Amino acid sequence: MKSVKILVIDDERSICDGCRLVLLDQGYQVDTCQTGRKGLDLLLGGDYDVALIDMKLPDIHGMEILQALKRDRPAVYVIVLTGFSSVENAVEAMKSGAFDYLSKPFGEEELILAVEKAIENKRLKDENRCLRQQLVDRFDFGNIIGENPQILKLFEEIKKVAPTDSTVLLCGETGTGKELFAKAIHAQSKRAERQFIPVDCSTFAASLLESELFGHVKGAFTGAVKDKAGVFEAADGGTFFLDEVANLDLSIQGKLLRAMETQEFKPVGSSHVKKSDVRIIAATNRDLKTMVDEGSFREDLFYRLNVFPIFIPPLRERRDDIPRLLYHFLRIYSRQTGKRIEGFSDDALEILTAYDWPGNVRQLRNTVERLVILADDQILDNRSLTDNWETKGPAFRDRIPETLEELRSIKKDLLENEFGQIERSFLQQALLAEKGNITQAARRVGMQRSNFSALMKKHHLSADPVKSAEKDGPFKE
Ligand SMILES: Nc1ncnc2c1ncn2[C@@H]1O[C@H](COP(=O)(O)OP(=O)(O)OP(=O)(O)O)[C@@H](O)[C@H]1O
Ligand SMILES: [Mg+2]
């Protein structure tokens, strides 16, 4: 522990010397000074924990020092020294924030006690502050599990960007937690008390999306029976989460860009401009830059969104977090189902950790849910995996979704897992047939080379077909 630093300010040399001797003997670091101005300079420039200040000094009044400290160095604990037992002086000083007072003459014991009390109090306060900060940190990322260095770095980045109004672009494969991170950014921003409104750009037709974003006026189109506010208006003062931004129609992209740049927009069918103050967080699982190169995403909008890009790595690139996530969801689903499942056997944990999780955390969550529902024993072991975990397909085909969100999530998983596997094999087969020559493989299947290599990138395939095939690990047929 850092040693405690004390400054004694008193114009009487004997008091300074006396305090110094007693306090040095207690193991404190002690400086003394006989004028107010010098003392104040020392306090403002140094890192003192406690100051003993005489109220009656030749140059400035002790109260002045006290007030300056409260303003600029509130962490210094002040014990005032009052002459001729002037109680009023002491009361006044305590009201101004002094921690305690000693009236002269005071004894050794009194001095030691007052200083110890101040130090103990300061220590408790510091400890409290530290605990409170830890609590804030925990709650802000409370529901995001991750201790992998890449994820910890993301937490740091998010802490920095959250309080600003900057646009954030979250990139990452499906199920990596983009929406979760978007919510954490909102929760840690000054907009936290206001709305967080997500809009999934892939679920709306272009014409509907425009009205969803900007609203419409009565009569704007068939079915527009009354004025309706859009997300830009509803999220005023809050955060607007633009999910799957790669699916935005080109015609809307221009309007969105304008709204982002001017904070102004026009509802469909209206000639009046409205204003709105929204912070935009966008998410995508596609490579927007490639889309810009291909002409399917506006370059200006890309740069407007790409102010602060955050890349969430896929789960297979942070395997050390897999056991943590498995246990996190195990606890959740055990509680939900009322089952007392203690954990995973070592070999089950090994298999689950080695698996590639193409649907990332969402797939892992659904898998654990299924394993828990079907579990008969207290330990999820290798046998329960072989019986209940179908790695080649999504593990929840027999589950009927109960909400639209669940339905969408299953659709996404099906696409990613089933179709994703087929797409990957399709590329590998072509590459294998053409001995890794991308141009010829693309021609063979009737694709543009650029599209073919973009797909390869999506599946993390290299041109060497043998290497690519090996990457599949033990779960591929
Ligand atoms: N690090 C994590 N800790 C705990 N839960 C997580 C984590 N990452 C993701 N999840 C959970 O996984 C599920 C999928 O996350 P989320 O919806 O945020 O992913 P996404 O990247 O938006 O996916 P998509 O691209 O498919 O929309 C959610 O239930 C989320 O709570
Ligand atoms: Mg999402």
Side-chain angles (χ1 to χ4, degrees), residues 178-179 241 243-244 362 412:
K178 296 184 289 295
E179 183 151 355
F241 178 51
D243 203 1
E244 310 291 350
R362 182 183 294 108
K412 219 169 236 167

Side-chain angles (χ1 to χ4, degrees), residues 169-173 245-246 283-297 302 306 311 453-455 457-458:
L169 178 65
L170 292 161
C171 312
E173 290 179 12
V245 71
T284 179
N285 54 19
R286 309 252 307 265
D287 182 0
L288 288 187
K289 189 74 184 67
T290 309
M291 292 181 65
V292 169
D293 295 343
E294 286 167 353
S296 53
F297 203 86
F302 168 70
N306 202 39
F311 177 71
S453 71
L455 264 190
K457 216 166 147 197
K458 176 180 152 195

Side-chain angles (χ1 to χ4, degrees), residues 263-284:
Q263 299 272 29
E264 287 179 353
F265 61 93
K266 268 192 211 157
V268 179
S270 165
S271 51
H272 294 293
V273 169
K274 288 193 169 182
K275 275 199 144 317
S276 175
D277 161 34
V278 290
R279 193 239 189 116
I280 293 190
I281 302 179
T284 179

Side-chain angles (χ1 to χ4, degrees), residues 207-392:
S207 56
L208 279 180
L209 184 60
E210 185 177 352
S211 143
E212 182 70 18
L213 294 182
F214 308 119
H216 62 244
V217 293
K218 183 178 166 186
F221 46 83
T222 329
V225 287
K226 56 179 183 187
D227 288 7
K228 184 177 166 282
V231 173
F232 262 85
E233 198 169 341
D236 192 15
T239 307
F240 164 29
F241 178 51
L242 200 57
D243 203 1
E244 310 291 350
V245 71
N247 293 335
L248 271 182
D249 197 85
L250 270 172
S251 65
I252 309 269
Q253 290 181 19
K255 290 182 180 153
L256 176 69
L257 178 66
R258 216 166 309 123
M260 286 179 74
E261 300 212 306
T262 59
Q263 299 272 29
E264 287 179 353
F265 61 93
K266 268 192 211 157
V268 179
S270 165
S271 51
H272 294 293
V273 169
K274 288 193 169 182
K275 275 199 144 317
S276 175
D277 161 34
V278 290
R279 193 239 189 116
I280 293 190
I281 302 179
T284 179
N285 54 19
R286 309 252 307 265
D287 182 0
L288 288 187
K289 189 74 184 67
T290 309
M291 292 181 65
V292 169
D293 295 343
E294 286 167 353
S296 53
F297 203 86
R298 281 179 72 131
E299 189 172 18
D300 43 11
L301 180 60
F302 168 70
Y303 286 114
R304 187 68 192 72
L305 290 171
N306 202 39
V307 180
F308 198 99
I310 288 183
F311 177 71
I312 309 178
L315 201 48
R316 63 182 172 281
E317 285 175 20
R318 45 180 162 119
R319 288 187 196 276
D320 50 332
D321 274 342
I322 293 179
R324 280 183 201 107
L325 285 159
L326 288 169
Y327 273 92
H328 169 71
F329 291 116
L330 179 73
R331 271 192 296 274
I332 292 181
Y333 291 116
S334 301
R335 207 179 311 130
Q336 266 181 25
T337 54
K339 290 194 174 180
R340 284 176 178 270
I341 299 177
E342 283 166 17
F344 300 86
S345 68
D346 286 351
D347 52 354
L349 209 55
E350 208 171 292
I351 293 172
L352 291 164
T353 307
Y355 181 55
D356 264 355
W357 300 108
N360 294 293
V361 184
R362 182 183 294 108
Q363 187 193 5
L364 181 145
R365 185 199 65 190
N366 291 337
T367 302
V368 175
E369 182 181 5
R370 179 183 168 94
L371 291 176
V372 169
I373 290 174
L374 296 173
D376 294 319
D377 305 319
Q378 288 186 330
I379 296 283
L380 296 174
D381 56 14
N382 200 356
R383 194 176 50 79
S384 47
L385 294 192
T386 10
D387 291 351
N388 304 326
W389 187 40
E390 214 199 315
T391 57
K392 289 189 285 297

